[in-house]
Amino acid sequence: MAHDPRTADAAGCLYVVATPIGNLGDITQRAIDTLSKVDAVAAEDTRHSARLLQHLGLHKPLIALHDHNERARSGALLDRVAGGEQIALVSDAGTPLISDPGFVLVREARERGLRVVPIPGASALITALSAAGLPTDRFVFAGFPPAKNKARQDFLAALANETGTLVFYESPHRVRDTIDAMVACFGETRQVVLARELTKTFEQFYDATLGALQALLEADPNASRGEMVLIVAGAAPVDNSLAQATGLDIDRLLKALLSELPVKSVARIAADATGIPKNQLYERALQLKTS
Ligand code: SAM
């Protein structure tokens, strides 16, 4: 059903409201207006959102809606919307549904033909991308890598050939393991930006190769503190022009060498033999190894 956003006040509505990711000054006027007028606020953590409402001078009934009760609670919340009430959905920080609860609720609202109105604002992934200096024309948001080693390796291997920029969320106590796994899967020469504490006092962008970031995190425990987004350059497309000119099948050569040698040696020998830059061959050999 098509809805005209200009008439969004006329009947029941679910508003998906983005809130700041650190700096309270990033709340939008529309978010404040919306939170002021709704009948209730569904929040991931009611105590956390109560503080935001208090900061805005608002008093609204809060309803807990998190990963563990979203399925059970969505029906009753949407009954209220169907009955003409206006409900706002917020998460602890940033945009709901982006690595946060809300998908089940929004999906069900759409299935029931209820009005869902986004109130856009901050999201850590877009904030990080906008200032990281890596290509933004094409990117993949991959969310949080799995916590277990094997699952994380498989998850990264599936992204190894992706040429778009890769965006990950990560927690401080897992970031070193994740960077180690990225070095193994994407190679130590891939460019990465670690964006920490965005919009907060100690905001920091660390721009390096994966190998250099690995060394930094080992040397300086402070570098892995706080909230963070990892932005990794996409895989370099292999320049086949030289190989084509010489009639060489580069993948075949690399695969043959890989069956006998480690990736670094494969890249060095293939570079000597073909004249193709070593780092390109290193990346391609890694891709072939993990694919
Ligand atoms: N819904 C949020 C959004 O729109 O960005 C994301 C919620 S997710 C549960 C939390 C993760 O987002 C953190 O672990 C971190 O990776 C990232 N994040 C949130 N706030 C951040 C900030 N101020 N600086 C850097 N990363 C942040």
Side-chain angles (χ1 to χ4, degrees):
M1 198 190 301
H3 295 297
D4 181 349
R6 287 166 302 181
T7 59
D9 281 347
C13 186
L14 173 67
Y15 292 97
V16 182
V17 182
T19 57
I21 56 168
N23 189 325
L24 290 178
D26 291 333
I27 188 101
T28 68
Q29 189 58 53
R30 240 183 122 210
I32 297 171
D33 294 346
T34 304
L35 292 171
S36 309
K37 75 180 179 191
V38 292
D39 298 295
V41 177
E44 185 185 5
D45 177 339
T46 51
R47 274 182 307 178
H48 185 98
S49 296
R51 284 197 291 275
L52 176 70
L53 292 178
Q54 195 179 19
H55 168 80
L56 299 173
L58 300 174
H59 301 280
K60 294 284 166 182
L62 282 154
I63 305 154
L65 191 89
H66 43 70
D67 284 338
H68 304 294
N69 70 5
E70 191 176 353
R71 269 173 210 289
R73 288 250 164 112
S74 289
L77 255 179
L78 295 176
D79 286 346
R80 291 178 63 172
V81 175
E85 286 191 58
Q86 310 217 332
I87 307 279
L89 169 69
V90 298
S91 56
D92 286 357
T95 303
L97 279 82
I98 306 300
S99 294
D100 265 340
F103 169 69
V104 172
L105 182 72
V106 170
R107 177 91 212 188
E108 203 174 318
R110 291 235 164 261
E111 279 166 7
R112 289 174 63 169
L114 297 170
R115 187 162 33 199
V116 182
V117 174
I119 307 294
S123 188
L125 86 104
I126 299 296
T127 307
L129 258 183
S130 71
L134 285 172
T136 51
D137 52 334
R138 206 174 106 84
F139 63 87
V140 174
F141 173 56
F144 286 96
K148 295 203 170 125
N149 283 343
K150 174 74 172 83
R152 179 165 45 215
Q153 274 164 19
D154 294 347
F155 172 85
L156 294 177
L159 293 166
N161 293 342
E162 172 57 55
T163 52
T165 298
L166 305 170
V167 186
F168 302 89
Y169 284 166
E170 193 45 288
S171 69
H173 62 280
R174 292 211 187 111
V175 65
R176 282 183 63 186
D177 287 346
T178 292
I179 295 296
D180 289 350
M182 285 180 176
V183 167
C185 186
F186 302 153
E188 61 190 14
T189 57
R190 264 250 212 144
Q191 213 56 37
V192 60
V193 176
L194 172 71
R196 282 180 59 226
E197 295 289 89
L198 292 164
T199 78
K200 304 185 203 175
T201 312
F202 297 107
E203 177 180 275
Q204 186 187 38
F205 283 79
Y206 188 76
D207 187 338
T209 59
L210 280 171
L213 180 59
Q214 186 180 39
L216 172 86
L217 295 181
E218 211 165 293
D220 179 7
N222 285 329
S224 53
R225 294 230 166 98
E227 295 195 283
M228 62 188 72
V229 181
L230 288 167
I231 305 165
V232 181
V238 176
D239 177 3
N240 273 323
S241 50
L242 250 177
Q244 275 159 7
T246 55
L248 265 173
D249 182 340
I250 280 298
D251 282 1
R252 198 163 159 203
L253 172 68
L254 293 175
K255 278 183 192 159
L257 290 169
L258 278 170
S259 65
E260 304 286 337
L261 296 165
V263 177
K264 262 191 183 163
S265 313
V266 166
R268 185 173 40 75
I269 294 169
D272 283 349
T274 63
I276 296 174
K278 193 168 73 180
N279 57 350
Q280 263 197 36
L281 291 166
Y282 179 77
E283 278 224 2
R284 183 61 189 154
L286 259 179
Q287 289 167 8
L288 291 172
K289 199 178 166 191
T290 50
S291 63

